[in-house]
Amino acid sequence: MSELQNKNSWYDADKAHHIHPFMDPKYFDKNHVRVITRGEGVYIWDAEGNKILDGMAGLWCVNVGYGRQELIDAANEQMKNLAYYNSFFQSSTPTQIELAEKLATITPQGIDHFFYANSGSEANDTVIRMARHYWSIQGKPTKRIFIGRHLGYHGSTLAATSLGGMKGMHDMGGSLLPEFEHIMQPHWYTLGAGLTPEEFGLKAAKALEDKILELGADNVAAFIGEPIQGAGGVIDPPSTYWPEIQRICKKYNILLVADEVICGFGRTGNWFGSDTYNIKPDMMPMAKGLSSGYIPIAAVGFSKEVYSVLAEGGHIAHGYTYSGHPVACAVALANINLMERDGIVEMVRDDTGPYFRKSLQQLADTHPIVGELRGAGLVAGLQLVKDKENKTIFTSEEGAGLICREHCIQHNLIMRMVDQAMVASPPLTITRDEIDEFTEKAKIGLDLTAQHFGLL
């Protein structure tokens, strides 16, 4: 039976049995699922035969593009040699060791020990436990509170949901645990009226100091933030923000956690967002681009100082069955080697990243419903507005983001809607010609959305 003959049975079976993440089940009362059947380069194909430019690299993760034989071969070879063994019982496998050694060469200076997990959510759960353990070892067991940011996203487990600042996730089942606090996001366009970006960056950072003083520094374990807030709408901070955040963390003796799950592995034009913004983290969760999404794997990097304390503390009662799965480590190692061989990070930094931003900036400057371009490298957010001069954003009820997303999909481009912004994160292997195609299709989606509201 061909794919096209199969599609109706797939649609029916999906509706009957499959629960999707972050989806209203009532959507399927009128619509069927989009079944993705294959991928190559920056394109995916669905069961209807449509060739679609994947402007989201899967879910911010397929950094080296689809169909890379090097990664397929790495998984195959490792499965033939050793499909699985755990890293409990004082055991390791070669790929676990070699990947940790490789990560120590590309992560920010000082990050040199790595704990493996299977997702960004698990990595951030690990951060919570390890940070609290770190302070307890030093005789400071009251330092337990984590401070994150509104619209921060750190995963979907109960602990990671609490760490993040997504109200809708907190509201589902009352999923906000105690000992988690949140401060304003550093979004100058929406929150910085009357201030320069630099002035606003200092104001947004001061919110951290105010929160520490409110809670008491002896009760605060860490501050966590994504270098660029990805799922929050690609919120890139002003230049003054991260230096001031670091100063405050050091002043009040709290750990700084840079969540690199989205920004890591070349997305911002450097190996890590921490390199782009000169952040010196104490802990650094990573996932997604670690294997380019080919197989689930995550890790947490620890600074020398933090690990030395953890090592002195004795038994670390934490781990997962699949921590450092040998096949996942083999694929991640092959992924990093491929990126180094092909100079992908340098290409994003010097060529395709600037070209992508120039193309989108021209679109943002001229289009009547785009108020702001955000991001760095090959991650971008386009803020949708109904009044460009007064920065008036469409309301959720008006639903411009949803309308634009659907128009983009109808014209074979995947972009993501975050509230009333359109965000993009294409594979890092995208070419200039493919960026031109991306921009043309994005403009069609924006034009049709503007026409819907009588603004074009």
Side-chain angles (χ1 to χ4, degrees), residues 73-279:
D73 291 342
N76 184 42
E77 287 302 310
Q78 182 59 44
M79 282 191 175
K80 288 192 295 185
N81 292 328
L82 180 66
Y84 170 75
Y85 196 71
N86 68 76
S87 53
F88 291 52
F89 316 142
Q90 295 76 50
S91 300
S92 285
T93 65
T95 56
Q96 293 167 358
I97 298 166
E98 292 168 11
L99 178 58
E101 184 179 41
K102 173 62 76 173
L103 287 172
T105 69
I106 64 171
T107 49
Q109 186 175 6
I111 300 292
D112 67 349
H113 279 78
F114 303 90
F115 177 90
Y116 294 120
N118 307 290
S119 67
S121 298
E122 285 187 4
N124 278 314
D125 276 27
T126 298
V127 164
I128 296 165
R129 294 198 69 198
M130 294 295 199
R132 289 173 174 172
H133 185 48
Y134 168 86
W135 290 117
S136 182
I137 291 167
Q138 298 183 84
K140 298 180 180 180
T142 63
K143 287 178 75 69
R144 294 178 52 82
I145 297 173
F146 272 76
I147 301 174
R149 299 180 293 191
H150 297 306
L151 300 183
Y153 183 84
H154 304 291
S156 292
T157 59
L158 185 56
T161 293
S162 300
L163 197 58
M166 298 290 189
K167 185 179 183 301
M169 295 176 70
H170 294 164
D171 290 344
M172 180 180 150
S175 296
L176 180 60
L177 295 173
E179 300 181 314
F180 293 92
E181 299 283 342
H182 303 90
I183 60 173
M184 68 187 299
Q185 68 273 28
H187 190 187
W188 171 77
Y189 187 83
T190 58
L191 301 174
L195 300 174
T196 66
E198 294 74 21
E199 289 169 340
F200 174 73
L202 295 176
K203 176 184 176 181
K206 186 177 183 299
L208 173 59
E209 185 165 30
D210 292 343
K211 182 61 73 172
I212 293 169
L213 292 174
E214 173 193 330
L215 299 168
D218 288 341
N219 298 317
V220 179
F223 170 78
I224 186 168
E226 306 147 89
I228 295 174
Q229 290 182 245
V234 185
I235 300 171
D236 53 348
S239 61
T240 52
Y241 181 76
W242 277 113
E244 184 66 1
I245 288 288
Q246 293 189 106
R247 184 193 69 79
I248 292 167
C249 288
K250 186 173 182 180
K251 176 180 177 180
Y252 292 100
N253 193 27
I254 69 171
L255 296 173
L256 175 57
V257 183
D259 185 335
E260 293 277 3
V261 170
I262 286 176
C263 293
F265 301 95
R267 178 59 55 191
T268 65
N270 290 290
W271 274 105
F272 294 90
S274 293
D275 300 320
T276 300
Y277 292 96
N278 196 29
I279 305 167

Side-chain angles (χ1 to χ4, degrees), residues 36-46 52 65-68 294:
I36 306 303
T37 57
R38 68 185 182 97
E40 181 180 346
V42 301
Y43 297 98
I44 53 175
W45 280 259
D46 66 16
I52 305 165
Y66 295 94
R68 300 305 296 251
Y294 275 57

Side-chain angles (χ1 to χ4, degrees), residues 250-330:
K250 186 173 182 180
K251 176 180 177 180
Y252 292 100
N253 193 27
I254 69 171
L255 296 173
L256 175 57
V257 183
D259 185 335
E260 293 277 3
V261 170
I262 286 176
C263 293
F265 301 95
R267 178 59 55 191
T268 65
N270 290 290
W271 274 105
F272 294 90
S274 293
D275 300 320
T276 300
Y277 292 96
N278 196 29
I279 305 167
K280 297 176 175 59
D282 298 297
M283 297 183 185
M284 199 176 79
M286 62 194 87
K288 294 191 184 289
L290 174 56
S291 68
S292 284
Y294 275 57
I295 196 165
I297 186 172
V300 180
F302 296 88
S303 70
K304 290 182 175 70
E305 191 277 332
V306 169
Y307 179 73
S308 67
V309 171
L310 294 174
E312 290 171 6
H315 185 60
I316 297 174
H318 180 70
Y320 307 104
T321 299
Y322 301 116
S323 291
H325 192 291
V327 178
C329 287

